[in-house]
Structure formats: structure tokens, C-alpha cells
């Protein structure tokens, strides 16, 4: 396997971790506890946001009287068990990341998820030590629709952003990655299927999965 980039910046949810379905379940359960049906656009609205931004948005949208910290703690409690114990990697994701490490590529995480979730997941799958830098939205202003998180990841890696390949699955984050000046590989995820045409239009490379990058073909 040959690579033509010095730094690799990976999204977590929907890219290397098969977790997008979990967040839909959490969103629905959270609102159901309050007798609120989940609007069709709610999950998509939250995707690029940090925990704090999503909590503020949820309070404002539904007129909740709860504090953001309480809402974030509830989401964290609902998600922690799955991240620590049950969520699977996307096929061949671990193998691909380990191969990049062997090739001397510098590797960063750039995620909207909280460290209390992503660190246990990476450790359980034996990938934590593969990452040279860990970045999340608590460390920057804005969300993944902008370039800030990707710039920070590249800075932590000590690699010019133009020499980095970002791996993403969702349109809003892919747009932020392109705005940063990085190159972009879009990894197909079922939850981003409605945006496939737009994703293909901005990606430097669009793949069905990491098996394709490893020369193993397209996994089901």
C-alpha cells in the first residue's frame, strides 16, 4: 500500500466507528423522555456541533428549562456504555490505521464527540496508541463546518495541512475539511447516503470502505 500524504486526520463517528445509528437512538430516547417527538431535521442539525453547542441548541429549540451541563451529562450516560463496550469499528478501519502507522504517517483524530466517549472506544479497539494527536470540538471555536478543528489537528501533528488527508463521512464535515486546505477521502456511510452526490463532488477520493484502500475490495 502506497500513500502520498504525511498526515492522516480521521473523523470518528460514521468513519472509523460504526456509531451513527446510536446517536439517532439517543436523540429519540432523550426527547421521548420529555414527551417530544423527534423532528425529522433534528439529528442532522446536531451533527456538526459539539456537545455544548448541541445542548444549547436543544434547549433553545424545545424551550427546555434544564441546564446545558445536565443535558450533556444525560447524553454522556446514555452513550458511554456503547462506546466503551459494544460499538464496532467500520470494516478494515483498524487494519488501515495500523498500516498507516507502520508507514510512518502521522495520525490525528478530529471528532465532535467528547473525550469521555472516544478514548474508551479507541482503547477497546487497540487504536489509542496509533494516534499522535487527539482533537475535538471542545478545543476550538465553531464546529466541523469550518476549518478550525482540521487546522488544529494538523498543527498538533506538525504537518502542513496541504500534506494531510482527512477521512470523513458526512457532508458538513467534508466541507469543513476542504475549506481547511487538506485533501479529502470520503468513506461511505449509510447515514450519509442522501448526500452521496455532493460528497462525490467535493472528495478527492470517495471509497465504499477501508477495504478498498487496502486493496481488499468492497466490503458488504
Amino acid at each position: 500500500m502506497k500513500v502520498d500524504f504525511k498526515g492522516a486526520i480521521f473523523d470518528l463517528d460514521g468513519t472509523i466507528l460504526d456509531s451513527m445509528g446510536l446517536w439517532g437512538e439517543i436523540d429519540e430516547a432523550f426527547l421521548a423522555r420529555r414527551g417530544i417527538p423527534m423532528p425529522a431535521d433534528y439529528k442532522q442539525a446536531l451533527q456538526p456541533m459539539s456537545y455544548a453547542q448541541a445542548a444549547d441548541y436543544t434547549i433553545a429549540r424545545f424551550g427546555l428549562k434544564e441546564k446545558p451541563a445536565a443535558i450533556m451529562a444525560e447524553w454522556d450516560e446514555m452513550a458511554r456504555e456503547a462506546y466503551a463496550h459494544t460499538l464496532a469499528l467500520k470494516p478494515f478501519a483498524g487494519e488501515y490505521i495500523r498500516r498507516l502507522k507502520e508507514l510512518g504517517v502521522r495520525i490525528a483524530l478530529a471528532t465532535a464527540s467528547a473525550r469521555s466517549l472516544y478514548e474508551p472506544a479507541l482503547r477497546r479497539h487497540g487504536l489509542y496508541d496509533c494516534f499522535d494527536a487527539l482533537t475535538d470540538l471542545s478545543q476550538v471555536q465553531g464546529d466541523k463546518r469550518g476549518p478550525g478543528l482540521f487546522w488544529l489537528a494538523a498543527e498538533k501533528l506538525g504537518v502542513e495541512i496541504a500534506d494531510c488527508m482527512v477521512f470523513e463521512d458526512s457532508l458538513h464535515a467534508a466541507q469543513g475539511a476542504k475549506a481547511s486546505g487538506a485533501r479529502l477521502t470520503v468513506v461511505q456511510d449509510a447515514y450519509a447516503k442522501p448526500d452521496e452526490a455532493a460528497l462525490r463532488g467535493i472528495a478527492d477520493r470517495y471509497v465504499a470502505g477501508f477495504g478498498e484502500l487496502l486493496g481488499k475490495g468492497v466490503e458488504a
Side-chain angles (χ1 to χ4, degrees):
M1 185 180 83
K2 294 182 179 180
V3 298
D4 57 357
F5 48 89
K6 298 177 181 178
I9 301 174
F10 287 92
D11 170 53
L12 180 71
D13 295 296
T15 299
I16 63 175
L17 196 64
D18 194 5
S19 55
M20 295 306 289
L22 172 70
W23 285 109
E25 294 168 8
I26 288 174
D27 293 339
E28 189 167 353
F30 173 84
L31 293 177
R33 291 177 180 181
R34 291 152 179 84
I36 303 170
M38 188 167 79
D41 66 334
Y42 178 65
K43 180 185 170 209
Q44 185 175 7
L46 296 189
Q47 278 187 0
M49 299 181 187
S50 69
Y51 253 29
Q53 291 166 339
D56 288 339
Y57 174 83
T58 299
I59 289 168
R61 177 161 183 174
F62 300 109
L64 303 180
K65 303 300 183 185
E66 297 157 90
K67 299 293 186 184
I71 289 176
M72 289 187 285
E74 185 173 341
W75 286 338
D76 201 46
E77 179 183 359
M78 296 169 77
R80 192 181 297 116
E81 180 72 15
Y83 276 80
H85 300 292
T86 63
L87 287 176
L89 291 175
K90 300 291 279 289
F92 299 112
E95 184 176 343
Y96 183 70
I97 290 170
R98 293 186 185 97
R99 184 69 182 124
L100 290 182
K101 190 71 174 177
E102 291 171 359
L103 292 171
V105 175
R106 301 277 289 168
I107 302 173
L109 185 74
T111 179
S113 287
R115 185 163 190 146
S116 59
L117 300 180
Y118 66 73
E119 183 172 338
L122 293 177
R123 289 192 184 279
R124 176 166 59 89
H125 289 293
L127 293 177
Y128 184 82
D129 291 336
C130 291
F131 285 84
D132 301 292
L134 300 169
T135 59
D136 60 65
L137 288 179
S138 71
Q139 301 169 31
V140 296
Q141 297 292 322
D143 56 36
K144 292 187 82 174
R145 288 171 289 201
L149 188 65
F150 305 105
W151 285 339
L152 178 62
E155 180 183 340
K156 286 188 173 185
L157 291 179
V159 178
E160 293 293 329
I161 191 68
D163 293 324
C164 290
M165 181 71 76
V166 173
F167 296 81
E168 277 285 357
D169 66 296
S170 63
L171 180 59
H172 66 269
Q175 291 168 335
K178 288 296 286 186
S180 76
R183 293 162 61 200
L184 172 67
T185 294
V186 171
V187 183
Q188 186 181 77
D189 185 76
Y191 287 87
K193 193 68 175 175
D195 297 321
E196 181 175 346
L199 285 163
R200 286 184 180 274
I202 66 171
D204 295 284
R205 181 171 57 184
Y206 185 99
V207 297
F210 288 102
E212 190 173 328
L213 296 174
L214 289 163
K216 296 177 179 291
V218 179
E219 55 268 26

